[in-house]
Amino acid sequence: TEAPAQMRISWILCILLPLGLENVEGTLVIAVDKSGSMADDNKLTKVKEVLKNWLVHTAPQDGEVGLLAFNESTHSQYGFDLSKLHTLNRTEIAKQIDKIEALGGTCYGKAMFDAEGLLGGESGGKILVIGDGKLECTDDISMDEIANRAIKNKQTIYTINVGNELDKAIENASRKTGGINFKLDIDFSAFEMEEQINEVFEGGKTIHIYDENSDDRSSRSVQGQSEGCKKYELLNHFRYRKSGHADDLGRSYCDNQHQVIMKTNDVDFHPSPDWKGEGWYRFDTFNGKMPENAPGGDKCGTSLAGWVKGSHPSNGATKDVEICFSDDSIDCITSVTAKISECYGYYVYYLKELTCMQRYCVG
């Protein structure tokens, strides 16, 4: 058995959306569905963002990765076949994911067939299919044939399905090989998908995502340059933190851990349910980023909405910024200082405790 750090990971980005694997002879092929239906509800865009972040920050060092996207064909290579992951090439490989565009129909069988071929012979391994579960190919390879080939080659098939119900034939083929089928709603968060990816690798054999000293699984520990990239809390009350959102049926929020519930102008102010005091935070939503323009008053689920006066850093940098709070008539009625780190795919923020009627915004 190979050492965990030498786990081979064959990525077949078949534009589907499956994620889940165990240590089956240490080899993984990821197939991502890029058919036209993946453009609906920005499914493919969301999947690409999660995969890029996982590849750059979480995938095991020295794992072998191959990248392929599929629709009715699986012949679109995106820059590499099987490449061993190391510190220098992770970002370059992740950039290939940006080239994937949604177009055409879906042939799961052909994609899985090519994935099985990429694994090669009876060497075992895992196939991870990510998509929306729609079979739209009239001349596809049957799922029974796929399952039988996988069993013969000691391979296991896993799926991550977004939005629709997974076709029963695909589900049965996966189960027949001993695999697991994961399901995500259309409005899934990045953290939800990352949890499913991480579940595949749990057991301490390949990666360690969570802080060893924390029982709180929302406290993440990942590779990155700044302290904030390595450990942060999640701001996951994102529906009410969005810059276009007013309040929650007469309830507003403050980013103050010790806020006493109070009523002002028929609005109840409560402490934000996801706020844990001063520290590093990441917004748990796709492209989670604070606005760089004033949202106005009564937005983001509060009276005074926080936004970044200036720009965000890039290329792994960390910078000091001013966070302004706006009302209906003044863009920066008051402000606090903060830090922002770019973690090669997402931002983290060092945020301070605020007073009542103030809250940090996203989007």
Side-chain angles (χ1 to χ4, degrees):
T1 302
E2 294 179 343
Q6 297 172 337
M7 178 178 181
R8 299 179 62 240
I9 304 174
S10 305
W11 275 68
I12 297 184
L13 280 176
C14 302
I15 300 190
L16 295 162
L17 194 96
L19 259 114
L21 19 131
E22 298 177 353
N23 190 15
V24 183
E25 302 300 329
T27 305
L28 168 64
V29 171
I30 299 181
V32 179
D33 173 14
K34 68 167 186 175
S35 61
S37 61
M38 287 294 287
D40 299 341
D41 301 299
N42 293 317
K43 292 194 291 283
L44 182 56
T45 299
K46 295 177 180 179
V47 170
K48 287 162 61 175
E49 289 303 313
V50 174
L51 289 178
K52 286 190 296 182
N53 183 64
W54 182 83
L55 181 58
V56 172
H57 298 286
T58 306
Q61 187 80 344
D62 294 329
E64 280 190 291
V65 174
L67 178 60
L68 173 67
F70 77 86
N71 42 27
E72 64 268 17
S73 66
T74 55
H75 305 298
S76 297
Q77 292 283 344
Y78 287 87
F80 63 94
D81 293 315
L82 289 179
S83 299
K84 181 173 288 190
L85 287 177
H86 52 76
T87 303
L88 297 179
N89 73 350
R90 286 174 179 263
T91 302
E92 290 304 312
I93 293 174
K95 287 179 180 178
Q96 306 304 319
I97 298 174
D98 285 325
K99 300 178 182 179
I100 301 172
E101 297 181 354
L103 181 68
T106 310
C107 290
Y108 272 68
K110 292 179 180 179
M112 293 181 184
F113 183 89
D114 283 0
E116 291 174 347
L118 187 58
L119 288 174
E122 298 182 8
S123 58
K126 296 166 285 190
I127 297 170
L128 176 58
V129 183
I130 303 177
D132 59 10
K134 294 182 178 180
L135 288 178
E136 303 171 332
C137 191
T138 57
D139 61 343
D140 206 358
I141 301 171
S142 76
M143 288 296 106
D144 283 340
E145 181 179 346
I146 291 298
N148 291 335
R149 280 173 52 89
I151 292 171
K152 177 183 177 182
N153 294 329
K154 302 180 180 66
Q155 298 164 352
T156 307
I157 299 172
Y158 300 81
T159 68
I160 292 181
N161 192 55
V162 178
N164 304 304
E165 290 297 323
L166 183 65
D167 188 280
K168 283 295 183 183
I170 302 174
E171 180 179 343
N172 291 336
S174 172
R175 290 180 176 177
K176 190 174 180 180
T177 67
I180 299 172
N181 298 291
F182 295 91
K183 175 73 167 62
L184 288 173
D185 294 330
I186 287 293
D187 60 349
F188 71 94
S189 72
F191 185 65
E192 286 180 294
M193 179 174 281
E194 288 178 10
E195 280 280 85
Q196 292 184 349
I197 299 172
N198 296 336
E199 183 176 336
V200 170
F201 291 99
E202 273 184 355
K205 295 182 178 180
T206 52
I207 58 173
H208 189 74
I209 297 298
Y210 300 100
D211 180 19
E212 294 177 355
N213 300 316
S214 175
D215 293 326
D216 181 2
R217 293 179 68 85
S218 69
S219 179
R220 302 287 309 286
S221 177
V222 298
Q223 298 178 22
Q225 288 195 337
S226 81
E227 175 188 352
C229 295
K230 297 175 183 177
K231 188 167 187 285
Y232 53 81
E233 303 291 346
L234 289 170
L235 292 176
N236 52 18
H237 197 228
F238 54 85
R239 176 182 176 186
Y240 301 109
R241 283 189 181 273
K242 290 182 179 179
S243 57
H245 194 89
D247 58 35
D248 178 12
L249 300 177
R251 173 180 291 192
S252 286
Y253 300 94
C254 308
D255 284 337
N256 186 307
Q257 217 175 2
H258 308 292
Q259 172 64 39
V260 177
I261 297 176
M262 59 175 286
K263 182 181 288 290
T264 302
N265 296 328
D266 295 324
V267 176
D268 291 333
F269 279 89
H270 296 251
S272 298
D274 53 357
W275 181 255
K276 298 182 179 179
E278 181 174 340
W280 286 101
Y281 287 90
R282 177 184 174 186
F283 290 98
D284 184 21
T285 182
F286 291 98
N287 300 317
K289 181 179 178 181
M290 291 187 68
E292 295 176 355
N293 295 293
D298 296 321
K299 300 296 183 181
C300 309
T302 193
S303 294
L304 302 178
W307 58 283
V308 176
K309 186 178 182 180
S311 62
H312 283 65
S314 60
N315 299 322
T318 298
K319 66 182 294 187
D320 295 320
V321 297
E322 180 182 8
I323 305 293
C324 281
F325 297 88
S326 61
D327 65 6
D328 288 330
S329 58
I330 303 176
D331 288 347
C332 195
I333 193 170
T334 185
S335 68
V336 296
T337 57
K339 291 181 182 293
I340 305 177
S341 292
E342 199 279 323
C343 303
Y344 294 105
Y346 61 92
Y347 295 100
V348 292
Y349 301 79
Y350 190 88
L351 303 175
K352 297 179 179 179
E353 191 101 336
L354 301 176
T355 62
C356 182
M357 303 173 66
Q358 296 178 343
R359 199 180 196 211
Y360 297 104
C361 261
V362 64

